[in-house]
Amino acid sequence: MSRLAFRAAAAVVGVALLALYLTAALFVADLLRAAWAARPDLPVLLALLAAGALASAYLSYRLGTAQLLANLEGDRVPRERAPDLHRRIDSLAARMDLARPNLYVTDARTPNAFAVGGGSDGGALVIDRSLFRLLSPREMEAILAHELAHLEGNDGFAIAMADGVGRSLVGIATVAALPALLALSGLAAASGWIRGRPSDRSGLFARLHHALAGGLFAGFVVATLVSRSRSRKREFAADDRAAEVTGDPIALARALRRIERAAEPSWPLAPFSTHKRTDEPAERWLSTHPSTDERVERLRQTAESQGPTRRIPVGLSGASVGRGRSRR
């Protein structure tokens, strides 16, 4: 095929692509325009959008919680199978004026403990079996108090709702921008074909498309960062509450260190493991938990503030160990 014939064919393809994308953009714009014309008054519309976002987040939270418990590789533990553990949980729940949660013991790949649910149903407390070998009784009590603090504050629900609402807002913005995205994508593709460079996406329309898509993605990232930031703050709050209830912040600090060290892989390719420590700011911002160093240092300061009689173990003074990533 001669160059002239190729350019002619490419121009035809470009025009066809442009017509296809613009038709799709106009169709979506008409749908949005019709929906906007049929909208209720602005206060009612905002109330409906807010209700929809909250309902979506709540449904996602409830379904996610139920699925998590259904997929646990463990069992619900009745009182007769672990009376001492149940008595500890009863005592802590009574001190915290908290509805008693259901207890599950599971076999995970790493030492872990986490709480799900909360509110009037009490939620569920999930403990990995390895923690019973790893932690002393006082350390186990501190970890239990930390997780019960999450249930007391209904943290999982609050964080899930904030995350769901943020994602819903980004989703609404994406739907509103969809006609522009389609039109710019069509213009960028058509421009490349018409110029005889089908793979070239360096023109003005391509840059505008990337800018708009990047802005929407930035909104998603911001919503995620806000949710993760709140999650890290709730971890600190749960640490403080556990230290208050047990009166032993050092026990929790020791437990965090033990779990962190036990979770670190020792096999030769450990640098490539997901448990590796990192100082990358982006990874810290996206983490749901603060670093173990930060948590231990806060607990150490809490212990020091309780008086000079509180002994600080040498292994807990300063930042001697890197970051943990457990869901504790």
Side-chain angles (χ1 to χ4, degrees), residues 22-245:
L22 290 181
T23 300
L26 289 172
F27 176 75
V28 174
D30 286 340
L31 289 179
L32 294 176
R33 192 180 301 112
W36 181 255
R39 74 187 187 283
D41 293 336
L42 184 59
V44 177
L45 175 63
L46 294 177
L48 289 174
L49 290 176
L54 291 173
S56 175
Y58 178 78
L59 182 62
S60 176
Y61 167 75
R62 298 298 297 183
L63 292 176
T65 299
Q67 184 177 12
L68 175 62
L69 293 177
N71 292 337
L72 279 178
E73 295 181 1
D75 303 307
R76 184 171 173 178
V77 181
R79 183 175 295 274
E80 56 271 17
R81 283 182 53 189
D84 291 339
L85 182 59
H86 276 274
R87 279 196 294 271
R88 286 180 180 275
I89 296 174
D90 288 341
S91 176
L92 289 169
R95 278 181 263 170
M96 302 171 79
D97 194 21
L98 179 67
R100 195 189 184 287
N102 296 316
L103 175 63
Y104 293 82
V105 173
T106 184
D107 292 296
R109 296 180 179 179
T110 58
N112 199 8
F114 60 93
V116 294
S120 59
D121 62 352
L125 185 59
V126 183
I127 304 172
D128 182 65
R129 203 178 306 275
S130 64
L131 292 185
F132 297 106
R133 301 187 300 271
L134 184 67
L135 304 180
S136 70
R138 291 191 68 83
E139 292 165 357
M140 175 62 80
E141 183 178 25
I143 288 294
L144 293 174
H146 172 91
E147 298 305 333
L148 290 174
H150 283 308
L151 295 178
E152 182 183 41
N154 214 0
D155 291 343
F157 175 75
I159 293 170
M161 292 297 288
D163 185 59
V165 169
R167 292 172 185 269
S168 295
L169 292 175
V170 175
I172 292 171
T174 301
V175 170
L178 187 56
L181 287 170
L182 287 170
L184 289 172
S185 182
L187 288 167
S191 175
W193 279 95
I194 292 172
R195 288 184 287 111
R197 300 174 181 176
S199 61
D200 184 7
R201 294 293 186 273
S202 61
L204 173 62
F205 298 120
R207 291 197 296 271
L208 290 174
H209 179 270
H210 292 329
L212 180 56
L216 294 170
F217 180 74
F220 171 80
V221 171
V222 168
T224 301
L225 291 177
V226 169
S227 173
R228 298 298 170 87
S229 174
R230 178 171 177 79
S231 178
R232 292 192 296 273
K233 289 180 181 178
R234 295 313 304 165
E235 289 300 320
F236 283 137
D239 285 347
D240 293 341
R241 181 61 169 148
E244 175 188 354
V245 171

